[in-house]
Each structure stands twice: as structure tokens, then as C-alpha cells.
Amino acid sequence: LDSAVRNNLAASLRVESLAVAAPREPDRVYLNLENIKSPTDAAVIYVYVNLPAGAKPEDHPESFAGAVSLFGASKSTASDGTHGGNGISESLDITRIVDALHVTDALGPELTVQFVAGSPGAMDNVTIDRVSVYRQGD
């Protein structure tokens, strides 16, 4: 995470920024997954942010960013299709996770993202061209 952007985000999450005298929403943070390509549509990928190393995902619901269905991915992956092989893209709101990291003083310069297959083989031959974090706010 860019240090200036991280500082602006942290400032928007501070209690005094949310005070009654100057009420406003904290910045929103999104995890964007771009150009997800898959030969199958019948799969789900679970996405976790800052899951502790070696931890079982089901033991850490606070790290769960969301589920991504690959419905439509195979058609969008076909290079001769209407989408030209670009795949699908998804955006997950991770504001809750980033806020919790901020509150516990664990919001560092990096976020780790882990993809967990919803069923055995669900991640076979799945690619994600770009994973990025976007902040929406002042």
C-alpha cells in the first residue's frame, strides 16, 4: 500500500474524523480482482485478506473478504468470444477488514490475499491477471 494513501485512509478511520462536529463516512476500501480466467463456470473461490500464516480459513472469519463465483468465466475466457478472452472481474469491499487492522494497529504497508477453492479442483487452471486495492474517499 502506498504510504501516503495508507496515511489518508488511517486518518479517515480515526475517531476524531468521525466526530459529531464533522460527521462523515470513513473511506471505503475495495479489493479488485481483474481478468479472472477459468475453463469452468461451476466453481467458487473464497478470498481472505491477511489470513495468519498456516491458519485454517474457517477459523478466521474476520479475514474473509468474500466469495467469487466463476459463473460466466469460461465464456469470457474464450479468446474468440465477445469478451476477447479477458475473463471476468470482481470487486470486494474490504473496508471492515482494513478498519479492524487499523484498530489493532496491524495495518502495514502490505496486505496478503489468499484464494481458497470452494471445492476440490475449483482453482485448477484459474488465473487472475491483477489484484489491486482501491480506496474511495476524500
Side-chain angles (χ1 to χ4, degrees):
L1 300 176
D2 178 77
S3 61
V5 172
R6 192 176 73 240
N7 291 339
N8 288 342
L9 174 63
S12 84
L13 296 171
R14 289 194 190 103
V15 172
E16 58 270 12
S17 296
L18 304 173
V20 176
R24 68 178 191 82
E25 288 284 322
D27 292 354
R28 308 298 300 171
V29 183
Y30 298 93
L31 180 68
N32 289 327
L33 310 174
E34 299 174 46
N35 300 11
I36 304 167
K37 298 173 190 160
S38 172
T40 182
D41 293 331
V44 174
I45 300 169
Y46 298 108
V47 182
Y48 290 84
V49 174
N50 278 27
L51 185 68
K56 292 181 181 180
E58 60 271 15
D59 293 340
H60 292 277
E62 74 281 0
S63 296
F64 180 64
V68 175
S69 169
L70 297 183
F71 182 78
S74 65
K75 188 172 183 178
S76 297
T77 299
S79 60
D80 60 347
T82 56
H83 296 281
N86 289 326
I88 60 174
S89 295
E90 292 286 336
S91 182
L92 302 171
D93 186 339
I94 61 169
T95 305
R96 170 188 54 80
I97 296 170
V98 171
D99 186 33
L101 291 169
H102 170 73
V103 167
T104 60
D105 203 28
L107 182 60
E110 295 181 1
L111 295 175
T112 60
V113 179
Q114 185 171 339
F115 302 101
V116 178
S119 60
M123 295 282 298
D124 291 353
N125 299 314
V126 173
T127 62
I128 302 172
D129 287 352
R130 182 177 170 166
V131 177
S132 56
V133 176
Y134 286 92
R135 173 184 147 256
Q136 179 184 23
D138 296 334

PDB file of all heavy atoms in Angstrom, residues 92-116:
ATOM      1  N   LEU A  92     -14.433  -6.591  -4.247  1.00  0.00           N
ATOM      2  CA  LEU A  92     -14.903  -6.947  -2.910  1.00  0.00           C
ATOM      3  C   LEU A  92     -14.640  -5.795  -1.956  1.00  0.00           C
ATOM      4  O   LEU A  92     -13.533  -5.248  -1.916  1.00  0.00           O
ATOM      5  CB  LEU A  92     -14.184  -8.208  -2.406  1.00  0.00           C
ATOM      6  CG  LEU A  92     -14.323  -9.463  -3.276  1.00  0.00           C
ATOM      7  CD1 LEU A  92     -13.384 -10.555  -2.780  1.00  0.00           C
ATOM      8  CD2 LEU A  92     -15.759  -9.945  -3.294  1.00  0.00           C
ATOM      9  N   ASP A  93     -15.648  -5.424  -1.191  1.00  0.00           N
ATOM     10  CA  ASP A  93     -15.500  -4.353  -0.203  1.00  0.00           C
ATOM     11  C   ASP A  93     -14.778  -4.927   1.014  1.00  0.00           C
ATOM     12  O   ASP A  93     -15.305  -5.799   1.708  1.00  0.00           O
ATOM     13  CB  ASP A  93     -16.881  -3.825   0.196  1.00  0.00           C
ATOM     14  CG  ASP A  93     -16.818  -2.619   1.112  1.00  0.00           C
ATOM     15  OD1 ASP A  93     -15.776  -2.394   1.776  1.00  0.00           O
ATOM     16  OD2 ASP A  93     -17.823  -1.892   1.176  1.00  0.00           O
ATOM     17  N   ILE A  94     -13.562  -4.465   1.261  1.00  0.00           N
ATOM     18  CA  ILE A  94     -12.771  -4.965   2.397  1.00  0.00           C
ATOM     19  C   ILE A  94     -12.599  -3.890   3.474  1.00  0.00           C
ATOM     20  O   ILE A  94     -11.700  -3.973   4.308  1.00  0.00           O
ATOM     21  CB  ILE A  94     -11.395  -5.516   1.949  1.00  0.00           C
ATOM     22  CG1 ILE A  94     -10.545  -4.434   1.271  1.00  0.00           C
ATOM     23  CG2 ILE A  94     -11.571  -6.729   1.038  1.00  0.00           C
ATOM     24  CD1 ILE A  94      -9.093  -4.825   1.053  1.00  0.00           C
ATOM     25  N   THR A  95     -13.481  -2.905   3.481  1.00  0.00           N
ATOM     26  CA  THR A  95     -13.400  -1.823   4.456  1.00  0.00           C
ATOM     27  C   THR A  95     -13.399  -2.361   5.886  1.00  0.00           C
ATOM     28  O   THR A  95     -12.606  -1.922   6.721  1.00  0.00           O
ATOM     29  CB  THR A  95     -14.565  -0.834   4.270  1.00  0.00           C
ATOM     30  OG1 THR A  95     -14.559  -0.367   2.918  1.00  0.00           O
ATOM     31  CG2 THR A  95     -14.465   0.334   5.224  1.00  0.00           C
ATOM     32  N   ARG A  96     -14.279  -3.324   6.171  1.00  0.00           N
ATOM     33  CA  ARG A  96     -14.381  -3.893   7.520  1.00  0.00           C
ATOM     34  C   ARG A  96     -13.049  -4.507   7.957  1.00  0.00           C
ATOM     35  O   ARG A  96     -12.599  -4.327   9.082  1.00  0.00           O
ATOM     36  CB  ARG A  96     -15.492  -4.956   7.531  1.00  0.00           C
ATOM     37  CG  ARG A  96     -15.574  -5.795   8.770  1.00  0.00           C
ATOM     38  CD  ARG A  96     -16.562  -6.948   8.620  1.00  0.00           C
ATOM     39  NE  ARG A  96     -16.335  -7.800   7.456  1.00  0.00           N
ATOM     40  CZ  ARG A  96     -15.406  -8.770   7.394  1.00  0.00           C
ATOM     41  NH1 ARG A  96     -14.613  -9.009   8.408  1.00  0.00           N
ATOM     42  NH2 ARG A  96     -15.283  -9.504   6.300  1.00  0.00           N
ATOM     43  N   ILE A  97     -12.388  -5.209   7.055  1.00  0.00           N
ATOM     44  CA  ILE A  97     -11.115  -5.858   7.376  1.00  0.00           C
ATOM     45  C   ILE A  97     -10.032  -4.810   7.614  1.00  0.00           C
ATOM     46  O   ILE A  97      -9.286  -4.883   8.593  1.00  0.00           O
ATOM     47  CB  ILE A  97     -10.704  -6.826   6.249  1.00  0.00           C
ATOM     48  CG1 ILE A  97     -11.727  -7.963   6.139  1.00  0.00           C
ATOM     49  CG2 ILE A  97      -9.302  -7.373   6.485  1.00  0.00           C
ATOM     50  CD1 ILE A  97     -11.552  -8.834   4.911  1.00  0.00           C
ATOM     51  N   VAL A  98      -9.954  -3.814   6.738  1.00  0.00           N
ATOM     52  CA  VAL A  98      -8.941  -2.764   6.870  1.00  0.00           C
ATOM     53  C   VAL A  98      -9.176  -1.955   8.136  1.00  0.00           C
ATOM     54  O   VAL A  98      -8.229  -1.614   8.853  1.00  0.00           O
ATOM     55  CB  VAL A  98      -8.927  -1.864   5.613  1.00  0.00           C
ATOM     56  CG1 VAL A  98      -8.042  -0.646   5.807  1.00  0.00           C
ATOM     57  CG2 VAL A  98      -8.463  -2.674   4.407  1.00  0.00           C
ATOM     58  N   ASP A  99     -10.440  -1.677   8.461  1.00  0.00           N
ATOM     59  CA  ASP A  99     -10.763  -0.957   9.692  1.00  0.00           C
ATOM     60  C   ASP A  99     -10.300  -1.756  10.911  1.00  0.00           C
ATOM     61  O   ASP A  99      -9.701  -1.191  11.829  1.00  0.00           O
ATOM     62  CB  ASP A  99     -12.260  -0.678   9.760  1.00  0.00           C
ATOM     63  CG  ASP A  99     -12.644   0.196  10.944  1.00  0.00           C
ATOM     64  OD1 ASP A  99     -11.838   1.068  11.321  1.00  0.00           O
ATOM     65  OD2 ASP A  99     -13.743  -0.001  11.480  1.00  0.00           O
ATOM     66  N   ALA A 100     -10.549  -3.054  10.934  1.00  0.00           N
ATOM     67  CA  ALA A 100     -10.117  -3.892  12.057  1.00  0.00           C
ATOM     68  C   ALA A 100      -8.590  -3.920  12.165  1.00  0.00           C
ATOM     69  O   ALA A 100      -8.038  -3.885  13.274  1.00  0.00           O
ATOM     70  CB  ALA A 100     -10.666  -5.306  11.905  1.00  0.00           C
ATOM     71  N   LEU A 101      -7.905  -3.964  11.038  1.00  0.00           N
ATOM     72  CA  LEU A 101      -6.437  -3.921  11.060  1.00  0.00           C
ATOM     73  C   LEU A 101      -5.957  -2.588  11.616  1.00  0.00           C
ATOM     74  O   LEU A 101      -4.996  -2.534  12.397  1.00  0.00           O
ATOM     75  CB  LEU A 101      -5.875  -4.148   9.655  1.00  0.00           C
ATOM     76  CG  LEU A 101      -6.051  -5.542   9.070  1.00  0.00           C
ATOM     77  CD1 LEU A 101      -5.690  -5.543   7.584  1.00  0.00           C
ATOM     78  CD2 LEU A 101      -5.218  -6.556   9.838  1.00  0.00           C
ATOM     79  N   HIS A 102      -6.625  -1.506  11.231  1.00  0.00           N
ATOM     80  CA  HIS A 102      -6.267  -0.179  11.736  1.00  0.00           C
ATOM     81  C   HIS A 102      -6.456  -0.095  13.252  1.00  0.00           C
ATOM     82  O   HIS A 102      -5.581   0.384  13.967  1.00  0.00           O
ATOM     83  CB  HIS A 102      -7.097   0.890  11.034  1.00  0.00           C
ATOM     84  CG  HIS A 102      -6.971   2.240  11.651  1.00  0.00           C
ATOM     85  ND1 HIS A 102      -5.853   3.012  11.517  1.00  0.00           N
ATOM     86  CD2 HIS A 102      -7.831   2.945  12.441  1.00  0.00           C
ATOM     87  CE1 HIS A 102      -6.013   4.140  12.186  1.00  0.00           C
ATOM     88  NE2 HIS A 102      -7.211   4.123  12.750  1.00  0.00           N
ATOM     89  N   VAL A 103      -7.602  -0.579  13.725  1.00  0.00           N
ATOM     90  CA  VAL A 103      -7.914  -0.505  15.158  1.00  0.00           C
ATOM     91  C   VAL A 103      -6.896  -1.277  15.988  1.00  0.00           C
ATOM     92  O   VAL A 103      -6.532  -0.862  17.090  1.00  0.00           O
ATOM     93  CB  VAL A 103      -9.355  -1.021  15.421  1.00  0.00           C
ATOM     94  CG1 VAL A 103      -9.621  -1.251  16.891  1.00  0.00           C
ATOM     95  CG2 VAL A 103     -10.366  -0.032  14.850  1.00  0.00           C
ATOM     96  N   THR A 104      -6.415  -2.395  15.467  1.00  0.00           N
ATOM     97  CA  THR A 104      -5.435  -3.211  16.202  1.00  0.00           C
ATOM     98  C   THR A 104      -3.994  -2.829  15.861  1.00  0.00           C
ATOM     99  O   THR A 104      -3.065  -3.538  16.214  1.00  0.00           O
ATOM    100  CB  THR A 104      -5.650  -4.710  15.916  1.00  0.00           C
ATOM    101  OG1 THR A 104      -5.500  -4.948  14.512  1.00  0.00           O
ATOM    102  CG2 THR A 104      -7.014  -5.161  16.397  1.00  0.00           C
ATOM    103  N   ASP A 105      -3.825  -1.716  15.160  1.00  0.00           N
ATOM    104  CA  ASP A 105      -2.508  -1.203  14.764  1.00  0.00           C
ATOM    105  C   ASP A 105      -1.731  -2.224  13.931  1.00  0.00           C
ATOM    106  O   ASP A 105      -0.520  -2.339  14.035  1.00  0.00           O
ATOM    107  CB  ASP A 105      -1.695  -0.778  16.000  1.00  0.00           C
ATOM    108  CG  ASP A 105      -0.616   0.236  15.640  1.00  0.00           C
ATOM    109  OD1 ASP A 105      -0.807   0.982  14.664  1.00  0.00           O
ATOM    110  OD2 ASP A 105       0.427   0.257  16.329  1.00  0.00           O
ATOM    111  N   ALA A 106      -2.462  -2.978  13.097  1.00  0.00           N
ATOM    112  CA  ALA A 106      -1.838  -4.001  12.265  1.00  0.00           C
ATOM    113  C   ALA A 106      -1.906  -3.659  10.773  1.00  0.00           C
ATOM    114  O   ALA A 106      -1.587  -4.495   9.935  1.00  0.00           O
ATOM    115  CB  ALA A 106      -2.508  -5.346  12.516  1.00  0.00           C
ATOM    116  N   LEU A 107      -2.297  -2.428  10.440  1.00  0.00           N
ATOM    117  CA  LEU A 107      -2.376  -2.018   9.042  1.00  0.00           C
ATOM    118  C   LEU A 107      -0.998  -1.569   8.590  1.00  0.00           C
ATOM    119  O   LEU A 107      -0.556  -0.466   8.872  1.00  0.00           O
ATOM    120  CB  LEU A 107      -3.401  -0.898   8.861  1.00  0.00           C
ATOM    121  CG  LEU A 107      -3.616  -0.409   7.427  1.00  0.00           C
ATOM    122  CD1 LEU A 107      -4.108  -1.546   6.542  1.00  0.00           C
ATOM    123  CD2 LEU A 107      -4.601   0.745   7.410  1.00  0.00           C
ATOM    124  N   GLY A 108      -0.308  -2.465   7.927  1.00  0.00           N
ATOM    125  CA  GLY A 108       1.044  -2.183   7.471  1.00  0.00           C
ATOM    126  C   GLY A 108       1.073  -1.816   6.001  1.00  0.00           C
ATOM    127  O   GLY A 108       0.035  -1.580   5.382  1.00  0.00           O
ATOM    128  N   PRO A 109       2.260  -1.806   5.411  1.00  0.00           N
ATOM    129  CA  PRO A 109       2.399  -1.429   4.008  1.00  0.00           C
ATOM    130  C   PRO A 109       1.928  -2.505   3.030  1.00  0.00           C
ATOM    131  O   PRO A 109       1.829  -2.251   1.843  1.00  0.00           O
ATOM    132  CB  PRO A 109       3.897  -1.178   3.858  1.00  0.00           C
ATOM    133  CG  PRO A 109       4.521  -2.008   4.923  1.00  0.00           C
ATOM    134  CD  PRO A 109       3.544  -2.022   6.065  1.00  0.00           C
ATOM    135  N   GLU A 110       1.642  -3.713   3.531  1.00  0.00           N
ATOM    136  CA  GLU A 110       1.211  -4.793   2.654  1.00  0.00           C
ATOM    137  C   GLU A 110      -0.026  -5.486   3.203  1.00  0.00           C
ATOM    138  O   GLU A 110      -0.201  -5.593   4.420  1.00  0.00           O
ATOM    139  CB  GLU A 110       2.316  -5.841   2.503  1.00  0.00           C
ATOM    140  CG  GLU A 110       3.545  -5.340   1.809  1.00  0.00           C
ATOM    141  CD  GLU A 110       4.609  -6.418   1.658  1.00  0.00           C
ATOM    142  OE1 GLU A 110       4.407  -7.565   2.065  1.00  0.00           O
ATOM    143  OE2 GLU A 110       5.667  -6.072   1.108  1.00  0.00           O
ATOM    144  N   LEU A 111      -0.848  -5.944   2.287  1.00  0.00           N
ATOM    145  CA  LEU A 111      -1.964  -6.823   2.619  1.00  0.00           C
ATOM    146  C   LEU A 111      -1.707  -8.131   1.893  1.00  0.00           C
ATOM    147  O   LEU A 111      -1.283  -8.124   0.739  1.00  0.00           O
ATOM    148  CB  LEU A 111      -3.300  -6.241   2.136  1.00  0.00           C
ATOM    149  CG  LEU A 111      -3.778  -4.952   2.777  1.00  0.00           C
ATOM    150  CD1 LEU A 111      -5.052  -4.472   2.086  1.00  0.00           C
ATOM    151  CD2 LEU A 111      -4.030  -5.145   4.261  1.00  0.00           C
ATOM    152  N   THR A 112      -1.938  -9.249   2.552  1.00  0.00           N
ATOM    153  CA  THR A 112      -1.819 -10.525   1.872  1.00  0.00           C
ATOM    154  C   THR A 112      -3.217 -10.985   1.469  1.00  0.00           C
ATOM    155  O   THR A 112      -4.183 -10.786   2.202  1.00  0.00           O
ATOM    156  CB  THR A 112      -1.153 -11.594   2.754  1.00  0.00           C
ATOM    157  OG1 THR A 112      -1.934 -11.786   3.931  1.00  0.00           O
ATOM    158  CG2 THR A 112       0.254 -11.194   3.143  1.00  0.00           C
ATOM    159  N   VAL A 113      -3.299 -11.555   0.294  1.00  0.00           N
ATOM    160  CA  VAL A 113      -4.570 -12.049  -0.225  1.00  0.00           C
ATOM    161  C   VAL A 113      -4.402 -13.537  -0.491  1.00  0.00           C
ATOM    162  O   VAL A 113      -3.425 -13.953  -1.123  1.00  0.00           O
ATOM    163  CB  VAL A 113      -4.966 -11.317  -1.524  1.00  0.00           C
ATOM    164  CG1 VAL A 113      -6.273 -11.860  -2.071  1.00  0.00           C
ATOM    165  CG2 VAL A 113      -5.072  -9.819  -1.275  1.00  0.00           C
ATOM    166  N   GLN A 114      -5.331 -14.319   0.034  1.00  0.00           N
ATOM    167  CA  GLN A 114      -5.278 -15.765  -0.162  1.00  0.00           C
ATOM    168  C   GLN A 114      -6.580 -16.216  -0.805  1.00  0.00           C
ATOM    169  O   GLN A 114      -7.666 -15.818  -0.395  1.00  0.00           O
ATOM    170  CB  GLN A 114      -5.065 -16.486   1.158  1.00  0.00           C
ATOM    171  CG  GLN A 114      -4.882 -17.979   1.000  1.00  0.00           C
ATOM    172  CD  GLN A 114      -4.446 -18.651   2.288  1.00  0.00           C
ATOM    173  OE1 GLN A 114      -3.918 -18.013   3.201  1.00  0.00           O
ATOM    174  NE2 GLN A 114      -4.651 -19.941   2.354  1.00  0.00           N
ATOM    175  N   PHE A 115      -6.450 -17.078  -1.811  1.00  0.00           N
ATOM    176  CA  PHE A 115      -7.599 -17.636  -2.511  1.00  0.00           C
ATOM    177  C   PHE A 115      -7.755 -19.094  -2.089  1.00  0.00           C
ATOM    178  O   PHE A 115      -6.799 -19.861  -2.129  1.00  0.00           O
ATOM    179  CB  PHE A 115      -7.404 -17.542  -4.022  1.00  0.00           C
ATOM    180  CG  PHE A 115      -7.176 -16.128  -4.488  1.00  0.00           C
ATOM    181  CD1 PHE A 115      -5.897 -15.676  -4.788  1.00  0.00           C
ATOM    182  CD2 PHE A 115      -8.230 -15.243  -4.602  1.00  0.00           C
ATOM    183  CE1 PHE A 115      -5.678 -14.374  -5.202  1.00  0.00           C
ATOM    184  CE2 PHE A 115      -8.026 -13.933  -5.011  1.00  0.00           C
ATOM    185  CZ  PHE A 115      -6.745 -13.502  -5.316  1.00  0.00           C
ATOM    186  N   VAL A 116      -8.970 -19.450  -1.686  1.00  0.00           N
ATOM    187  CA  VAL A 116      -9.251 -20.805  -1.226  1.00  0.00           C
ATOM    188  C   VAL A 116     -10.347 -21.388  -2.115  1.00  0.00           C
ATOM    189  O   VAL A 116     -11.408 -20.770  -2.299  1.00  0.00           O
ATOM    190  CB  VAL A 116      -9.712 -20.797   0.253  1.00  0.00           C
ATOM    191  CG1 VAL A 116     -10.064 -22.195   0.724  1.00  0.00           C
ATOM    192  CG2 VAL A 116      -8.629 -20.183   1.140  1.00  0.00           C
TER     193      VAL A 116
END
